[in-house]
Amino acid sequence: MSVDWLSILDAQGNVDESLEPELDTETLEKFYRTMVLTRMYDDKALKLQRQGRMLTFGSSLGQEATAVGSAFAMKPDDWFFPAFREHGVQIARGIPLSLLYIYWMGSEDANLTLPPKNFPVAIPVSTQVLHAVGAAWAAKLKKQNIASVVYFGDGATSEGDFHEGMNFAGVFKTPTVFICQNNQYAISLPREKQTASKTLAQKALAYGFEGIQVDGNDILAVYSVTLAALEKARSGGGPTMIECFTYRMGSHTTSDDPTRYRQAAEVEEWKKKDPIKRLRIYLEKKGIWDQSREGAMIKEITDEVEKAVKEAESYKPVVENMFKYVYADMPLHLKEQMDELQGFISKRRGDESG
Amino acid sequence: MVDVKFPDVGEGVTEGTIVKWLVKEGEEIKADQAVAEIETDKAIVEIPSSEAGKILKLVGKEGDVIKVGSTLASLAVPGETVKKPETGAPEKPTEAKPAEAKLLEEPTEVKPPEVKPQERPAEMPGRALAVPSTRRLARELGVDISKVKGTGPGGRITDEDVRKSTVTEAKVEVPQAPETRKPEAAPVEIAPEIKALEERIPIKGIRKTIGERMVLSLFTAPHVVSMDEADVTELVKLREKEKKMAEEKGIKLTYLAFIVKAVTVALKQHPYLNASLDQKKNEIVLKRYYNIGIAVDTPEGLMVPVIKDADCKSIMELAQVSEKLADEARTRKIKLPDLKGNTFTITNIGSIGGIFSTPIINPPDVAILGIHRIRDMAVVIGGEIKIRKILPIVLSFDHRVLDGAQAARFMNTLIEHLKDPDLLLLDGV
């Protein structure tokens, strides 16, 4: 019993030509730009939080290849179920940056206008696995030629929801791709304490389907594996679990201090495996990237991020929206709650002006 | 002018310590540039400025504790001319009257920070910033929330603010007491000449641990203290007689050794004294091993080395072990395992002074014995006044586990064995 390991682009930017996917210049540039955009979005979010302008946030620093690579393998029609660190997937799937900021500033209004097929962030660990399997099963019953992709961390593999979802997907051969962002820590719990299993991907074998490990900092490998898994899913081949072996360079969230549970030397080792740096070297070797293009892009992204923040900060949340967005038609009990709240608010306003 | 505030950076953080300033007054900074490193309960974080500009003033020095929501630094944004604030003048929040508050809606006027009107929205009438539960609390307590001064993040009104204002509002009823209206008393200014006469010692290390453990003990275990006297005339004689023999063996035969022995005998007869309370499971844990903690006064503070399996040791062995542990504690050579695992503790306050005391139980024990100085006292025995050697003893016990009767019975057994040390021969292991 074993699971395969796939790596195409190594930490030094050397490519294994026998495995190299055929991607045009435009696609490669899109990969690169989206990864950098994700990182800069992330960095700005941390600053906003430290300035008291945003709430708790979980950085995806170092995990950009896993997110962006898998996202670009998906089709717009495929379902996407995130945990809460999939900023790169959300950006690649075309969710406006301003919406993402609005969400982390505390307004669920951001979920109202998500593009179709993109689920909102799931903060509870691994609940989204069940949703994703359900959506995939529905698609199968409706004979739709689509798949669902669900993201979760290494910690989620110890949750009951994960195992229920995996088992169901195996039995009913649902078109689901399980993407485990194994970033080595479930908050402070290291991967080796999470499970005695040698790999996380092998959990899939127990449920009767394929599990594969991939270098999560290698965007070419993540992309290739996800693409293959999605094609298999859409063509009736059933689910796949992909364990993206990566590393969370930052803290679990803005409320966490990782220096208390991991060694600086370990972080330094992973710094050498940076996913963005290796793709840049690859692009430079191909002659499609250079310093001047880099400079121009950074400037452009800086403006894009600042503009998104401005938009987000000028957004005025609408209280009623929190009742409106879960159901297509608002059920009676929510209507009652909304009316009560509106009554309360208008009474308060009356009190204040009087 | 823009203030760089210290926000809640970690879900419920209320204060932080300035670890390091990363900019200087007068320095030009960029937007998002870190101004300071602040240590909170959770982590050390960098606080960036949201705007570019020139730093006018840094509030506080490294090591200062600041509250969430307070200003870290003031900066002049580009294109703004600001008078340099007078140094040393503390920012005094002035009560915002409605007229002044209205002024704020026209933010064209630039003012130096010391005369800045309160800009917390919570200060403005009718614009109280508070979560629904706090509003409900205010309604329940009959407090007008628009008049409460918020001390939470961004001027948010906390439950505490509401409660405090009920107290201050009540005080307003009393004539000539308007000064007490301010919810926070102004910090007491200490004259420099007095400051020079004070010395400040940071609480850390053993001192800190003692504090934490004593607070834990005293505020979780309801303490009851029982006091008694033991006639140890015979014990004194015995010790005098055997002291020399012990000395020849290199052992200092202390009273403590006899007392530890007597305590283990008494504990075996009264098992609830050698116990702990498992609050999670709601169970009393009776311990059939007897590890006796001995409180030792060290230059760094009180330490409690533990004599393991004290019941299995002879009085001579107890004398030897307790001296060795006490020495190691005083010289900081003691090993951590020797400071753990106590099931009962004895504090020998008498060696220094005092007649009676009320010791605090040493967690996780349920009782602590205090022993005092042996002295000659006039005692009535059989209708006659006799001079006897009297040892005052006290027992603090956890009333959740023990009642006064059990404690008194334990004390009786202990006193019996101290009065007639021959019993130690018969009952001792």
PDB file of all heavy atoms in Angstrom, chain A residues 44 47 49-53 56 253-257 260 306 348 352, chain B residues 7-11 32 41-50 126 135:
ATOM      1  N   LYS A  44      -1.438  42.830   3.102  1.00  0.00           N
ATOM      2  CA  LYS A  44      -2.234  44.025   3.416  1.00  0.00           C
ATOM      3  C   LYS A  44      -3.265  43.696   4.498  1.00  0.00           C
ATOM      4  O   LYS A  44      -3.496  44.495   5.415  1.00  0.00           O
ATOM      5  CB  LYS A  44      -2.931  44.546   2.151  1.00  0.00           C
ATOM      6  CG  LYS A  44      -3.695  45.836   2.354  1.00  0.00           C
ATOM      7  CD  LYS A  44      -2.765  47.017   2.592  1.00  0.00           C
ATOM      8  CE  LYS A  44      -3.539  48.282   2.954  1.00  0.00           C
ATOM      9  NZ  LYS A  44      -2.621  49.403   3.213  1.00  0.00           N
ATOM     10  N   LYS A  47      -1.771  43.831   7.865  1.00  0.00           N
ATOM     11  CA  LYS A  47      -1.539  45.216   8.319  1.00  0.00           C
ATOM     12  C   LYS A  47      -2.853  45.847   8.765  1.00  0.00           C
ATOM     13  O   LYS A  47      -2.914  46.529   9.786  1.00  0.00           O
ATOM     14  CB  LYS A  47      -0.899  46.015   7.195  1.00  0.00           C
ATOM     15  CG  LYS A  47       0.512  45.502   6.878  1.00  0.00           C
ATOM     16  CD  LYS A  47       1.401  46.593   6.371  1.00  0.00           C
ATOM     17  CE  LYS A  47       2.870  46.190   6.448  1.00  0.00           C
ATOM     18  NZ  LYS A  47       3.261  45.311   5.336  1.00  0.00           N
ATOM     19  N   GLN A  49      -5.403  44.387   9.933  1.00  0.00           N
ATOM     20  CA  GLN A  49      -5.796  43.806  11.225  1.00  0.00           C
ATOM     21  C   GLN A  49      -5.021  44.471  12.365  1.00  0.00           C
ATOM     22  O   GLN A  49      -5.591  44.814  13.385  1.00  0.00           O
ATOM     23  CB  GLN A  49      -5.557  42.299  11.204  1.00  0.00           C
ATOM     24  CG  GLN A  49      -6.346  41.544  12.265  1.00  0.00           C
ATOM     25  CD  GLN A  49      -5.674  41.559  13.622  1.00  0.00           C
ATOM     26  OE1 GLN A  49      -4.482  41.806  13.758  1.00  0.00           O
ATOM     27  NE2 GLN A  49      -6.467  41.297  14.659  1.00  0.00           N
ATOM     28  N   ARG A  50      -3.739  44.672  12.147  1.00  0.00           N
ATOM     29  CA  ARG A  50      -2.900  45.271  13.196  1.00  0.00           C
ATOM     30  C   ARG A  50      -3.215  46.756  13.396  1.00  0.00           C
ATOM     31  O   ARG A  50      -2.807  47.354  14.389  1.00  0.00           O
ATOM     32  CB  ARG A  50      -1.408  45.117  12.849  1.00  0.00           C
ATOM     33  CG  ARG A  50      -0.923  43.676  12.846  1.00  0.00           C
ATOM     34  CD  ARG A  50      -1.114  43.004  14.174  1.00  0.00           C
ATOM     35  NE  ARG A  50      -0.459  41.709  14.259  1.00  0.00           N
ATOM     36  CZ  ARG A  50      -1.014  40.634  14.784  1.00  0.00           C
ATOM     37  NH1 ARG A  50      -2.241  40.663  15.250  1.00  0.00           N
ATOM     38  NH2 ARG A  50      -0.339  39.494  14.853  1.00  0.00           N
ATOM     39  N   GLN A  51      -3.902  47.348  12.420  1.00  0.00           N
ATOM     40  CA  GLN A  51      -4.306  48.753  12.566  1.00  0.00           C
ATOM     41  C   GLN A  51      -5.714  48.860  13.141  1.00  0.00           C
ATOM     42  O   GLN A  51      -6.259  49.953  13.253  1.00  0.00           O
ATOM     43  CB  GLN A  51      -4.246  49.449  11.198  1.00  0.00           C
ATOM     44  CG  GLN A  51      -2.817  49.671  10.706  1.00  0.00           C
ATOM     45  CD  GLN A  51      -2.732  49.941   9.222  1.00  0.00           C
ATOM     46  OE1 GLN A  51      -3.711  49.826   8.496  1.00  0.00           O
ATOM     47  NE2 GLN A  51      -1.545  50.309   8.769  1.00  0.00           N
ATOM     48  N   GLY A  52      -6.305  47.725  13.429  1.00  0.00           N
ATOM     49  CA  GLY A  52      -7.660  47.740  13.974  1.00  0.00           C
ATOM     50  C   GLY A  52      -8.711  47.979  12.917  1.00  0.00           C
ATOM     51  O   GLY A  52      -9.840  48.323  13.220  1.00  0.00           O
ATOM     52  N   ARG A  53      -8.347  47.780  11.649  1.00  0.00           N
ATOM     53  CA  ARG A  53      -9.301  48.042  10.573  1.00  0.00           C
ATOM     54  C   ARG A  53      -9.928  46.757  10.057  1.00  0.00           C
ATOM     55  O   ARG A  53     -10.778  46.774   9.177  1.00  0.00           O
ATOM     56  CB  ARG A  53      -8.589  48.759   9.417  1.00  0.00           C
ATOM     57  CG  ARG A  53      -8.105  50.154   9.795  1.00  0.00           C
ATOM     58  CD  ARG A  53      -6.956  50.619   8.928  1.00  0.00           C
ATOM     59  NE  ARG A  53      -7.370  51.051   7.604  1.00  0.00           N
ATOM     60  CZ  ARG A  53      -6.507  51.327   6.617  1.00  0.00           C
ATOM     61  NH1 ARG A  53      -5.198  51.191   6.824  1.00  0.00           N
ATOM     62  NH2 ARG A  53      -6.936  51.724   5.448  1.00  0.00           N
ATOM     63  N   THR A  56      -9.985  39.231  12.903  1.00  0.00           N
ATOM     64  CA  THR A  56      -9.068  38.085  12.859  1.00  0.00           C
ATOM     65  C   THR A  56      -8.910  37.553  11.443  1.00  0.00           C
ATOM     66  O   THR A  56      -9.884  37.436  10.699  1.00  0.00           O
ATOM     67  CB  THR A  56      -9.625  36.978  13.773  1.00  0.00           C
ATOM     68  OG1 THR A  56      -9.821  37.536  15.053  1.00  0.00           O
ATOM     69  CG2 THR A  56      -8.678  35.805  13.855  1.00  0.00           C
ATOM     70  N   THR A 253      -3.549  32.334  12.904  1.00  0.00           N
ATOM     71  CA  THR A 253      -4.348  33.528  12.621  1.00  0.00           C
ATOM     72  C   THR A 253      -3.632  34.685  13.295  1.00  0.00           C
ATOM     73  O   THR A 253      -2.610  34.486  13.954  1.00  0.00           O
ATOM     74  CB  THR A 253      -5.779  33.462  13.219  1.00  0.00           C
ATOM     75  OG1 THR A 253      -5.678  33.487  14.640  1.00  0.00           O
ATOM     76  CG2 THR A 253      -6.545  32.236  12.772  1.00  0.00           C
ATOM     77  N   THR A 254      -4.214  35.859  13.172  1.00  0.00           N
ATOM     78  CA  THR A 254      -3.625  37.039  13.805  1.00  0.00           C
ATOM     79  C   THR A 254      -3.634  36.948  15.326  1.00  0.00           C
ATOM     80  O   THR A 254      -3.043  37.779  15.993  1.00  0.00           O
ATOM     81  CB  THR A 254      -4.397  38.300  13.364  1.00  0.00           C
ATOM     82  OG1 THR A 254      -5.792  38.009  13.412  1.00  0.00           O
ATOM     83  CG2 THR A 254      -4.001  38.710  11.960  1.00  0.00           C
ATOM     84  N   SER A 255      -4.319  35.947  15.887  1.00  0.00           N
ATOM     85  CA  SER A 255      -4.334  35.791  17.348  1.00  0.00           C
ATOM     86  C   SER A 255      -3.316  34.770  17.835  1.00  0.00           C
ATOM     87  O   SER A 255      -3.357  34.368  18.986  1.00  0.00           O
ATOM     88  CB  SER A 255      -5.721  35.335  17.807  1.00  0.00           C
ATOM     89  OG  SER A 255      -6.668  36.306  17.500  1.00  0.00           O
ATOM     90  N   ASP A 256      -2.453  34.345  16.959  1.00  0.00           N
ATOM     91  CA  ASP A 256      -1.571  33.222  17.295  1.00  0.00           C
ATOM     92  C   ASP A 256      -0.105  33.655  17.236  1.00  0.00           C
ATOM     93  O   ASP A 256       0.255  34.562  16.494  1.00  0.00           O
ATOM     94  CB  ASP A 256      -1.842  32.102  16.272  1.00  0.00           C
ATOM     95  CG  ASP A 256      -0.837  30.984  16.336  1.00  0.00           C
ATOM     96  OD1 ASP A 256      -0.573  30.514  17.448  1.00  0.00           O
ATOM     97  OD2 ASP A 256      -0.308  30.587  15.283  1.00  0.00           O
ATOM     98  N   ASP A 257       0.709  33.006  18.052  1.00  0.00           N
ATOM     99  CA  ASP A 257       2.148  33.272  18.050  1.00  0.00           C
ATOM    100  C   ASP A 257       2.896  31.963  17.785  1.00  0.00           C
ATOM    101  O   ASP A 257       3.135  31.179  18.703  1.00  0.00           O
ATOM    102  CB  ASP A 257       2.559  33.839  19.411  1.00  0.00           C
ATOM    103  CG  ASP A 257       4.049  34.113  19.497  1.00  0.00           C
ATOM    104  OD1 ASP A 257       4.762  33.890  18.485  1.00  0.00           O
ATOM    105  OD2 ASP A 257       4.512  34.543  20.562  1.00  0.00           O
ATOM    106  N   ARG A 260       5.966  30.084  19.629  1.00  0.00           N
ATOM    107  CA  ARG A 260       5.836  29.309  20.871  1.00  0.00           C
ATOM    108  C   ARG A 260       5.815  27.811  20.619  1.00  0.00           C
ATOM    109  O   ARG A 260       5.941  27.035  21.546  1.00  0.00           O
ATOM    110  CB  ARG A 260       4.567  29.706  21.612  1.00  0.00           C
ATOM    111  CG  ARG A 260       4.613  31.151  22.031  1.00  0.00           C
ATOM    112  CD  ARG A 260       3.563  31.474  23.040  1.00  0.00           C
ATOM    113  NE  ARG A 260       3.501  32.917  23.227  1.00  0.00           N
ATOM    114  CZ  ARG A 260       2.682  33.521  24.065  1.00  0.00           C
ATOM    115  NH1 ARG A 260       1.860  32.806  24.794  1.00  0.00           N
ATOM    116  NH2 ARG A 260       2.655  34.823  24.188  1.00  0.00           N
ATOM    117  N   GLU A 306      -4.819  48.514  -2.840  1.00  0.00           N
ATOM    118  CA  GLU A 306      -5.229  49.733  -2.133  1.00  0.00           C
ATOM    119  C   GLU A 306      -6.645  50.141  -2.530  1.00  0.00           C
ATOM    120  O   GLU A 306      -7.445  50.568  -1.699  1.00  0.00           O
ATOM    121  CB  GLU A 306      -4.244  50.883  -2.402  1.00  0.00           C
ATOM    122  CG  GLU A 306      -2.878  50.694  -1.737  1.00  0.00           C
ATOM    123  CD  GLU A 306      -2.938  50.560  -0.210  1.00  0.00           C
ATOM    124  OE1 GLU A 306      -3.841  51.141   0.418  1.00  0.00           O
ATOM    125  OE2 GLU A 306      -2.084  49.844   0.362  1.00  0.00           O
ATOM    126  N   ARG A 348     -34.690  52.465  18.269  1.00  0.00           N
ATOM    127  CA  ARG A 348     -33.439  53.035  18.768  1.00  0.00           C
ATOM    128  C   ARG A 348     -33.177  54.394  18.130  1.00  0.00           C
ATOM    129  O   ARG A 348     -32.781  55.332  18.776  1.00  0.00           O
ATOM    130  CB  ARG A 348     -32.249  52.125  18.461  1.00  0.00           C
ATOM    131  CG  ARG A 348     -32.119  50.943  19.360  1.00  0.00           C
ATOM    132  CD  ARG A 348     -31.731  51.323  20.764  1.00  0.00           C
ATOM    133  NE  ARG A 348     -30.492  52.109  20.820  1.00  0.00           N
ATOM    134  CZ  ARG A 348     -30.016  52.653  21.925  1.00  0.00           C
ATOM    135  NH1 ARG A 348     -30.666  52.518  23.039  1.00  0.00           N
ATOM    136  NH2 ARG A 348     -28.890  53.351  21.907  1.00  0.00           N
ATOM    137  N   GLU A 352     -32.790  57.907  19.936  1.00  0.00           N
ATOM    138  CA  GLU A 352     -31.571  58.712  19.860  1.00  0.00           C
ATOM    139  C   GLU A 352     -31.860  60.136  19.401  1.00  0.00           C
ATOM    140  O   GLU A 352     -31.262  61.086  19.898  1.00  0.00           O
ATOM    141  CB  GLU A 352     -30.552  58.047  18.919  1.00  0.00           C
ATOM    142  CG  GLU A 352     -29.853  56.884  19.608  1.00  0.00           C
ATOM    143  CD  GLU A 352     -29.033  56.040  18.667  1.00  0.00           C
ATOM    144  OE1 GLU A 352     -28.911  56.430  17.487  1.00  0.00           O
ATOM    145  OE2 GLU A 352     -28.535  54.998  19.103  1.00  0.00           O
TER     146      GLU A 352
ATOM    147  N   PRO B   7      -4.954  48.721  18.494  1.00  0.00           N
ATOM    148  CA  PRO B   7      -6.238  48.024  18.424  1.00  0.00           C
ATOM    149  C   PRO B   7      -6.188  46.663  19.125  1.00  0.00           C
ATOM    150  O   PRO B   7      -5.124  46.224  19.550  1.00  0.00           O
ATOM    151  CB  PRO B   7      -6.436  47.828  16.924  1.00  0.00           C
ATOM    152  CG  PRO B   7      -5.053  47.714  16.376  1.00  0.00           C
ATOM    153  CD  PRO B   7      -4.133  48.471  17.298  1.00  0.00           C
ATOM    154  N   ASP B   8      -7.358  46.049  19.227  1.00  0.00           N
ATOM    155  CA  ASP B   8      -7.393  44.672  19.732  1.00  0.00           C
ATOM    156  C   ASP B   8      -6.837  43.781  18.631  1.00  0.00           C
ATOM    157  O   ASP B   8      -7.502  43.508  17.652  1.00  0.00           O
ATOM    158  CB  ASP B   8      -8.834  44.277  20.074  1.00  0.00           C
ATOM    159  CG  ASP B   8      -8.929  42.814  20.514  1.00  0.00           C
ATOM    160  OD1 ASP B   8      -7.890  42.116  20.515  1.00  0.00           O
ATOM    161  OD2 ASP B   8     -10.035  42.372  20.850  1.00  0.00           O
ATOM    162  N   VAL B   9      -5.610  43.343  18.803  1.00  0.00           N
ATOM    163  CA  VAL B   9      -4.963  42.581  17.738  1.00  0.00           C
ATOM    164  C   VAL B   9      -5.157  41.084  17.897  1.00  0.00           C
ATOM    165  O   VAL B   9      -4.614  40.307  17.117  1.00  0.00           O
ATOM    166  CB  VAL B   9      -3.448  42.892  17.676  1.00  0.00           C
ATOM    167  CG1 VAL B   9      -3.224  44.288  17.146  1.00  0.00           C
ATOM    168  CG2 VAL B   9      -2.801  42.732  19.043  1.00  0.00           C
ATOM    169  N   GLY B  10      -5.903  40.669  18.912  1.00  0.00           N
ATOM    170  CA  GLY B  10      -5.996  39.220  19.085  1.00  0.00           C
ATOM    171  C   GLY B  10      -7.227  38.721  19.795  1.00  0.00           C
ATOM    172  O   GLY B  10      -7.115  37.984  20.761  1.00  0.00           O
ATOM    173  N   GLU B  11      -8.405  39.088  19.346  1.00  0.00           N
ATOM    174  CA  GLU B  11      -9.652  38.523  19.872  1.00  0.00           C
ATOM    175  C   GLU B  11      -9.739  38.613  21.387  1.00  0.00           C
ATOM    176  O   GLU B  11      -9.585  37.624  22.089  1.00  0.00           O
ATOM    177  CB  GLU B  11      -9.813  37.050  19.447  1.00  0.00           C
ATOM    178  CG  GLU B  11      -9.951  36.880  17.963  1.00  0.00           C
ATOM    179  CD  GLU B  11      -9.960  35.423  17.568  1.00  0.00           C
ATOM    180  OE1 GLU B  11     -10.970  34.766  17.789  1.00  0.00           O
ATOM    181  OE2 GLU B  11      -8.937  34.957  17.030  1.00  0.00           O
ATOM    182  N   ASP B  32       1.460  51.974   6.373  1.00  0.00           N
ATOM    183  CA  ASP B  32       1.693  50.559   6.698  1.00  0.00           C
ATOM    184  C   ASP B  32       3.063  50.293   7.319  1.00  0.00           C
ATOM    185  O   ASP B  32       3.431  49.148   7.546  1.00  0.00           O
ATOM    186  CB  ASP B  32       1.502  49.635   5.483  1.00  0.00           C
ATOM    187  CG  ASP B  32       0.040  49.538   5.071  1.00  0.00           C
ATOM    188  OD1 ASP B  32      -0.825  49.834   5.922  1.00  0.00           O
ATOM    189  OD2 ASP B  32      -0.233  49.177   3.915  1.00  0.00           O
ATOM    190  N   ASP B  41      -0.951  39.339  25.494  1.00  0.00           N
ATOM    191  CA  ASP B  41      -1.005  38.019  26.123  1.00  0.00           C
ATOM    192  C   ASP B  41      -0.695  36.931  25.118  1.00  0.00           C
ATOM    193  O   ASP B  41      -0.297  35.833  25.469  1.00  0.00           O
ATOM    194  CB  ASP B  41      -2.428  37.740  26.635  1.00  0.00           C
ATOM    195  CG  ASP B  41      -2.760  38.622  27.810  1.00  0.00           C
ATOM    196  OD1 ASP B  41      -1.832  39.239  28.332  1.00  0.00           O
ATOM    197  OD2 ASP B  41      -3.940  38.678  28.180  1.00  0.00           O
ATOM    198  N   LYS B  42      -0.925  37.234  23.837  1.00  0.00           N
ATOM    199  CA  LYS B  42      -0.843  36.175  22.853  1.00  0.00           C
ATOM    200  C   LYS B  42       0.456  36.170  22.071  1.00  0.00           C
ATOM    201  O   LYS B  42       0.971  35.117  21.741  1.00  0.00           O
ATOM    202  CB  LYS B  42      -2.022  36.281  21.894  1.00  0.00           C
ATOM    203  CG  LYS B  42      -3.332  36.087  22.632  1.00  0.00           C
ATOM    204  CD  LYS B  42      -4.516  35.933  21.748  1.00  0.00           C
ATOM    205  CE  LYS B  42      -5.734  35.622  22.603  1.00  0.00           C
ATOM    206  NZ  LYS B  42      -6.982  35.695  21.910  1.00  0.00           N
ATOM    207  N   ALA B  43       0.960  37.327  21.732  1.00  0.00           N
ATOM    208  CA  ALA B  43       2.144  37.363  20.876  1.00  0.00           C
ATOM    209  C   ALA B  43       2.737  38.761  20.880  1.00  0.00           C
ATOM    210  O   ALA B  43       2.128  39.719  21.340  1.00  0.00           O
ATOM    211  CB  ALA B  43       1.754  36.986  19.448  1.00  0.00           C
ATOM    212  N   ILE B  44       3.959  38.843  20.320  1.00  0.00           N
ATOM    213  CA  ILE B  44       4.537  40.158  20.059  1.00  0.00           C
ATOM    214  C   ILE B  44       4.139  40.540  18.643  1.00  0.00           C
ATOM    215  O   ILE B  44       4.365  39.769  17.703  1.00  0.00           O
ATOM    216  CB  ILE B  44       6.070  40.141  20.208  1.00  0.00           C
ATOM    217  CG1 ILE B  44       6.429  39.863  21.669  1.00  0.00           C
ATOM    218  CG2 ILE B  44       6.672  41.460  19.745  1.00  0.00           C
ATOM    219  CD1 ILE B  44       7.916  39.812  21.953  1.00  0.00           C
ATOM    220  N   VAL B  45       3.506  41.688  18.487  1.00  0.00           N
ATOM    221  CA  VAL B  45       3.039  42.085  17.160  1.00  0.00           C
ATOM    222  C   VAL B  45       3.566  43.468  16.808  1.00  0.00           C
ATOM    223  O   VAL B  45       3.849  44.274  17.689  1.00  0.00           O
ATOM    224  CB  VAL B  45       1.492  42.090  17.083  1.00  0.00           C
ATOM    225  CG1 VAL B  45       0.936  40.709  17.343  1.00  0.00           C
ATOM    226  CG2 VAL B  45       0.893  43.084  18.050  1.00  0.00           C
ATOM    227  N   GLU B  46       3.694  43.690  15.505  1.00  0.00           N
ATOM    228  CA  GLU B  46       4.072  45.023  15.039  1.00  0.00           C
ATOM    229  C   GLU B  46       2.804  45.791  14.722  1.00  0.00           C
ATOM    230  O   GLU B  46       1.900  45.268  14.082  1.00  0.00           O
ATOM    231  CB  GLU B  46       4.928  44.913  13.771  1.00  0.00           C
ATOM    232  CG  GLU B  46       6.309  44.363  14.049  1.00  0.00           C
ATOM    233  CD  GLU B  46       7.206  44.402  12.814  1.00  0.00           C
ATOM    234  OE1 GLU B  46       6.678  44.674  11.713  1.00  0.00           O
ATOM    235  OE2 GLU B  46       8.402  44.170  12.967  1.00  0.00           O
ATOM    236  N   ILE B  47       2.729  47.020  15.177  1.00  0.00           N
ATOM    237  CA  ILE B  47       1.561  47.848  14.882  1.00  0.00           C
ATOM    238  C   ILE B  47       1.950  48.856  13.800  1.00  0.00           C
ATOM    239  O   ILE B  47       2.799  49.721  14.029  1.00  0.00           O
ATOM    240  CB  ILE B  47       1.068  48.605  16.135  1.00  0.00           C
ATOM    241  CG1 ILE B  47       0.793  47.634  17.284  1.00  0.00           C
ATOM    242  CG2 ILE B  47      -0.165  49.430  15.809  1.00  0.00           C
ATOM    243  CD1 ILE B  47      -0.318  46.635  17.043  1.00  0.00           C
ATOM    244  N   PRO B  48       1.355  48.704  12.605  1.00  0.00           N
ATOM    245  CA  PRO B  48       1.681  49.645  11.540  1.00  0.00           C
ATOM    246  C   PRO B  48       0.759  50.867  11.555  1.00  0.00           C
ATOM    247  O   PRO B  48      -0.364  50.802  12.043  1.00  0.00           O
ATOM    248  CB  PRO B  48       1.450  48.810  10.274  1.00  0.00           C
ATOM    249  CG  PRO B  48       0.527  47.722  10.670  1.00  0.00           C
ATOM    250  CD  PRO B  48       0.470  47.626  12.167  1.00  0.00           C
ATOM    251  N   SER B  49       1.243  51.947  10.993  1.00  0.00           N
ATOM    252  CA  SER B  49       0.419  53.153  10.856  1.00  0.00           C
ATOM    253  C   SER B  49      -0.434  53.009   9.605  1.00  0.00           C
ATOM    254  O   SER B  49       0.006  52.448   8.615  1.00  0.00           O
ATOM    255  CB  SER B  49       1.335  54.363  10.720  1.00  0.00           C
ATOM    256  OG  SER B  49       0.590  55.464  10.267  1.00  0.00           O
ATOM    257  N   SER B  50      -1.655  53.519   9.665  1.00  0.00           N
ATOM    258  CA  SER B  50      -2.486  53.418   8.465  1.00  0.00           C
ATOM    259  C   SER B  50      -2.164  54.532   7.473  1.00  0.00           C
ATOM    260  O   SER B  50      -2.512  54.441   6.306  1.00  0.00           O
ATOM    261  CB  SER B  50      -3.960  53.449   8.852  1.00  0.00           C
ATOM    262  OG  SER B  50      -4.226  54.611   9.595  1.00  0.00           O
ATOM    263  N   GLY B 126     -26.301  60.124  22.439  1.00  0.00           N
ATOM    264  CA  GLY B 126     -27.137  59.418  21.471  1.00  0.00           C
ATOM    265  C   GLY B 126     -26.366  58.558  20.508  1.00  0.00           C
ATOM    266  O   GLY B 126     -26.924  58.013  19.579  1.00  0.00           O
ATOM    267  N   ARG B 135     -26.061  46.912  26.256  1.00  0.00           N
ATOM    268  CA  ARG B 135     -27.228  47.816  26.249  1.00  0.00           C
ATOM    269  C   ARG B 135     -28.330  47.266  27.163  1.00  0.00           C
ATOM    270  O   ARG B 135     -28.971  47.994  27.905  1.00  0.00           O
ATOM    271  CB  ARG B 135     -27.777  47.955  24.827  1.00  0.00           C
ATOM    272  CG  ARG B 135     -26.829  48.708  23.923  1.00  0.00           C
ATOM    273  CD  ARG B 135     -27.398  48.808  22.518  1.00  0.00           C
ATOM    274  NE  ARG B 135     -26.417  49.372  21.627  1.00  0.00           N
ATOM    275  CZ  ARG B 135     -26.169  50.679  21.540  1.00  0.00           C
ATOM    276  NH1 ARG B 135     -26.862  51.530  22.264  1.00  0.00           N
ATOM    277  NH2 ARG B 135     -25.236  51.123  20.734  1.00  0.00           N
TER     278      ARG B 135
END
